[in-house]
Amino acid sequence: MNPETRSLPGSLWVLLISGVLGFWVGAVGFPTWAIPVESAQVVAGLVKYPLDNPFYIYHTRIWTIVIQLCAALLRAGVSEIMLSRVLSGLLGMASFQALALVAYAIGGDALLAIGSAFVIFFSRITDAGVVYPVMLLDTHHTYGALGLSALVLVTALFGAGCYRSGGFLLGLAPAIHPSLAVWVGLAMTIAFASDFRRLTVEFRPALKYFLAGGAVAAVSLAVQLIFISRSLPVDPHESARYFRAFVNVWDDHRRPVHMSQEGVIVNWAALSLAVVWLKLAGADLSMPSRFLLRTVAAASVLGLGAAAFTWIPAEHQPVLLSMLMPARLLNYNVMVIGALIAGLLSRQRYDAAAQTMLALFLGLLLVNTRSPVNHHFVRPMFVFAFGTLAAAVCRKRGRAPFSAAATQKRSPAPFWYAAVGVCVVAAALTLRSHRSASFYRDRTNDAFFAAVAAETQGVVLTAGSYQLVQLYTHRPVLIDGGGLDSMTYAPDTGPAMDRILRDVYGVDFFNPPRWAKSSSQLSHDAIKATWAGFSPVKWRQIRRDFGVTQVLTRTDYSLDLPVVAEEGSFRLYRIPEQ
C-alpha cells in the first residue's frame, strides 16, 4: 500500500466533525425555506392543482429523491418548517464535508482541512458562480446547492480513499441532481480512463456499492415516471420553440459565458494547479489524490468547452443539452479551488515557507472584499492568484509525511499554528451566527398567510416576483412570478405560460418589455401599473378563465377588488363570482 494513503478512520473523523458542525451552521445559523418542500406538497397530495396548470406540471416534472423523501415525511405529519430547517442543516453538512474532505484528501491534515471549510464558507470566496450562483448555505434554491455539494463530496470521497461510500453516493447522484451528476460523472469518467488499468483495481471495492446506489436511483426514477410525472398534450416541436424563445429573451442561466468572468478564470487556475502537480509532483501523491486532481483538470476542460457551447445561438442548440446546462460544470472548481489550494499547501506542515503561505492564503480569504470582515484592497481574484502561485511553488518541497512515527518525531512549522489560528477565528465567527425561529412564517403562525389558506376554491394569483407563496399558504398559485424559468424544466408548459402572461399580466411572451431581459421573473412595478387598469369585469373574466379567486400583492398596489386581509407589506384581494 502506498505509504501516503490516508487511513479510513482519519477520513471518517473529518466527515464526522465537519458534518456535525456543518449541520449546526446550516440548521441554526442559516436556516432558510427550501424549494423542494414546496414541490413535495404537491407530490404528497397536500396541495391540489388544476391538471393543466403550468406550475403543477413543473412540480411533477422535477426528479430528485429529496422531493420524494420530503413528500413522504409531509404525509407522515412533519411540518414544512421542520423539513426546511432539516434541509438547511443537510446542506450545511454536505457543503462542509465536501470542502473539508477535498482539503484532507490532498493534504492529509485533518485539523486544517476542517478549519479551512469554515474559512472558505465565511469568506464567501465561492460567490463566483457561472450561470448559477455557488451558494454553500443560506439559499432556498436547494436543488443546485445540495447537488453541487453532494457531487464535490463524491469526488472528495474517492480522493480520500473512501471508495465504498464514494461509490454508493456516485450511484445515487442522479437521483439527487441529474444534470450535475451527468457532468461531474463525465469528468470522473475521463479521470478514470486516464489511468484505467490501475484505477480498475484500486476502485474495485466501490463497484457493488456503486451498483447499490444506482439501484436506489433507478427505483426513485421509476417512482417519478410512473406515479409523479405529468405532461401536457403539446407537440414537441412547439415545446422546443417556446423553450428556445425563453432562453433567448428571459433566461438568466443560459446566457453566453464570457471568458473574463471570475468563475472562468478560477477554472483556468484549477486546471493549471492540477497539471503542475500531476506532472511535476505526481510521484509524491497517492493514487486517490491523483484521481481527484485529474477530476479537477477534466472538469475544467469540460467546463471551458461548455462555456463555448453557450455562444451558440439558442435556436441551434439541442434542447436536451441546453436543458442540462453543461456550463454549470464550471461551478465545480469554483467551489473546490479554495479547499484544493489549502490542501496542497497543508501537505508540507513541517516546511516554514509552505506554512507561511498557507497562513497568508487563509488570512487573505478571511478579509477579502466579500467577507463580512472585509478589506477594501483584498480582491478575490488577488487571493486566488496568490494561492494558485503559492501552491504551484510548493510542489517541490517534498511529500507530506503521513505516518504516525514521522508525526511524533517532528513539530509543525511555526506558521502552521498561525494557519490553525485563522481557522479557529473563522469557525468562531461562523458558529456564533443564529437566525431566530421567527424567520419561518407560514399559515400555521401568521394571520395573513392563514387568511390566504382559508380560501378553499380556485388558485392564488401572485403579483410580480413573489415566490414560495404555495409553501407558506398550502394554496395553489397560477404561476410563480419569481421563477418563470420553471418552464425550462417543462417546455410543454410554454403555450399555457404564454396565455397566462398575455391575458393576466399583460406581457408578450415572445416580445416582452426590456425589464424582462435575462430576468426569469416579473416586475412588480410593471405588473402594478397593468393591474391598476383592470376593471371588475376584467377580474371576473380572469376568475372564469383561470380559476383565480385571490390576488396577493404588495400594499402599494391599488386594485378594483375587495380587500380581504392586509399585514405588513402584503395585501390580499378576492375576486367575486358576480
Side-chain angles (χ1 to χ4, degrees):
M1 178 182 293
N2 189 312
E4 190 196 347
T5 300
R6 261 72 74 204
S7 65
L8 190 60
S11 301
L12 288 177
W13 276 115
V14 172
L15 285 170
L16 178 63
I17 296 173
S18 63
V20 169
L21 294 176
F23 189 92
W24 173 269
V25 173
V28 177
F30 299 90
T32 62
W33 287 105
I35 281 182
V37 179
E38 186 175 51
S39 293
Q41 290 176 326
V42 176
V43 174
L46 302 180
V47 178
K48 305 289 187 180
Y49 271 88
L51 298 182
D52 61 349
N53 179 280
F55 202 38
Y56 167 71
I57 300 298
Y58 159 77
H59 283 311
T60 67
R61 196 67 59 79
I62 297 295
W63 171 43
T64 169
I65 198 171
V66 178
I67 290 176
Q68 295 171 354
L69 293 174
C70 286
L73 291 171
L74 286 175
R75 288 296 295 265
V78 179
S79 71
E80 287 87 355
I81 291 176
M82 178 59 70
L83 274 181
S84 292
R85 188 178 283 276
V86 169
L87 283 178
S88 297
L90 290 176
L91 177 56
M93 181 178 75
S95 297
F96 275 67
Q97 284 180 327
L99 293 171
L101 202 59
V102 166
Y104 180 74
I106 296 296
D109 191 319
L111 186 58
L112 275 174
I114 296 168
S116 65
F118 279 94
V119 178
I120 293 166
F121 168 72
F122 186 83
S123 71
R124 298 177 61 90
I125 201 70
T126 60
D127 289 4
V130 182
V131 306
Y132 263 100
V134 176
M135 301 188 71
L136 304 179
L137 274 176
D138 202 17
T139 174
H140 60 265
H141 293 288
T142 317
Y143 297 127
L146 184 60
L148 180 59
S149 293
L151 267 299
V152 171
L153 180 58
V154 167
T155 57
L157 286 166
F158 275 93
C162 304
Y163 301 141
R164 290 176 294 181
S165 52
F168 180 82
L169 192 56
L170 178 61
L172 182 64
I176 299 174
H177 197 292
S179 175
L180 283 167
V182 167
W183 301 122
V184 177
L186 180 57
M188 294 181 70
T189 300
I190 294 172
F192 179 76
S194 67
D195 195 7
F196 179 77
R197 290 185 177 179
R198 286 187 291 183
L199 288 177
T200 298
V201 176
E202 181 77 11
F203 290 168
R204 187 170 294 161
L207 180 58
K208 61 182 180 181
Y209 293 91
F210 169 74
L211 294 176
V216 175
V219 170
S220 171
L221 179 59
V223 169
Q224 180 73 23
L225 295 177
I226 297 171
F227 300 107
I228 301 174
S229 185
R230 299 291 183 268
S231 61
L232 295 175
V234 178
D235 181 81
H237 295 290
E238 186 74 355
S239 296
R241 183 171 76 92
Y242 277 93
F243 177 88
R244 288 170 173 142
F246 187 89
V247 170
N248 269 327
V249 180
W250 293 86
D251 199 11
D252 184 44
H253 302 306
R254 292 171 179 83
R255 64 185 186 276
V257 173
H258 299 291
M259 287 302 181
S260 60
Q261 287 181 230
E262 185 178 324
V264 175
I265 297 172
V266 164
N267 272 266
W268 282 111
L271 176 61
S272 301
L273 270 181
V275 170
V276 166
W277 273 82
L278 286 169
K279 291 294 184 181
L280 301 181
D284 293 332
L285 295 166
S286 68
M287 191 178 297
S289 297
R290 290 197 299 272
F291 174 76
L292 179 55
L293 286 177
R294 288 191 179 103
T295 301
V296 167
S300 297
V301 173
L302 289 172
L304 293 168
F309 171 79
T310 65
W311 304 340
I312 302 173
E315 54 268 21
H316 299 304
Q317 295 180 7
V319 170
L320 178 59
L321 193 57
S322 183
M323 289 176 69
L324 290 173
M325 275 189 295
R328 71 187 310 159
L329 181 58
L330 290 164
N331 286 348
Y332 173 85
N333 280 318
V334 171
M335 179 173 175
V336 162
I337 191 167
L340 177 65
I341 292 172
L344 291 172
L345 290 173
S346 67
R347 289 175 59 81
Q348 295 82 33
R349 65 183 298 179
Y350 306 107
D351 182 89
Q355 294 310 297
T356 300
M357 285 189 254
L358 174 60
L360 284 172
F361 172 68
L362 294 176
L364 290 171
L365 280 180
L366 199 64
V367 298
N368 86 90
T369 52
R370 294 198 190 113
S371 166
V373 186
N374 71 80
H375 192 287
H376 180 69
F377 299 104
V378 185
R379 302 293 181 184
M381 290 309 300
F382 169 76
V383 181
F384 283 132
F386 172 81
T388 302
L389 181 61
V393 168
C394 286
R395 73 187 185 279
K396 293 184 179 179
R397 293 194 173 272
R399 63 197 299 173
F402 288 101
S403 68
T407 302
Q408 290 174 359
K409 292 179 181 178
R410 303 176 64 183
S411 297
F415 271 90
W416 179 88
Y417 297 99
V420 171
V422 174
C423 294
V424 170
V425 170
L429 292 172
T430 302
L431 291 171
R432 73 175 184 176
S433 300
H434 181 273
R435 178 169 290 164
S436 170
S438 62
F439 166 82
Y440 288 110
R441 295 172 55 203
D442 69 358
R443 73 192 190 288
T444 66
N445 56 23
D446 182 273
F448 180 84
F449 293 133
V452 181
E455 174 66 63
T456 59
Q457 299 180 5
V459 300
V460 180
L461 173 61
T462 59
S465 58
Y466 279 146
Q467 285 189 292
L468 303 181
V469 171
Q470 176 203 306
L471 180 58
Y472 304 149
T473 65
H474 258 216
R475 290 273 288 131
V477 300
L478 187 60
I479 59 171
D480 187 344
L484 297 181
D485 54 350
S486 62
M487 201 217 74
T488 60
Y489 295 89
D492 52 321
T493 64
M497 186 79 77
D498 180 14
R499 181 178 174 229
I500 291 170
L501 290 177
R502 181 184 62 250
D503 295 349
V504 178
Y505 291 97
V507 176
D508 187 332
F509 179 89
F510 291 97
N511 296 286
R514 294 180 63 182
W515 54 257
K517 181 68 174 177
S518 300
S519 68
S520 294
Q521 61 184 12
L522 296 171
S523 163
H524 264 291
D525 291 337
I527 303 308
K528 179 176 68 171
T530 299
W531 286 358
F534 282 6
S535 67
V537 173
K538 172 66 173 177
W539 284 115
R540 288 195 294 271
Q541 184 68 42
I542 289 174
R543 174 168 178 149
R544 287 192 298 270
D545 292 347
F546 298 97
V548 174
T549 54
Q550 295 173 307
V551 184
L552 177 61
T553 73
R554 299 185 315 203
T555 52
D556 61 342
Y557 280 62
S558 181
L559 309 185
D560 197 355
L561 289 172
V563 176
V564 176
E566 184 173 321
E567 179 181 324
S569 63
F570 297 120
R571 179 177 291 161
L572 180 66
Y573 297 89
R574 192 175 194 279
I575 304 178
E577 289 187 74
Q578 299 296 330

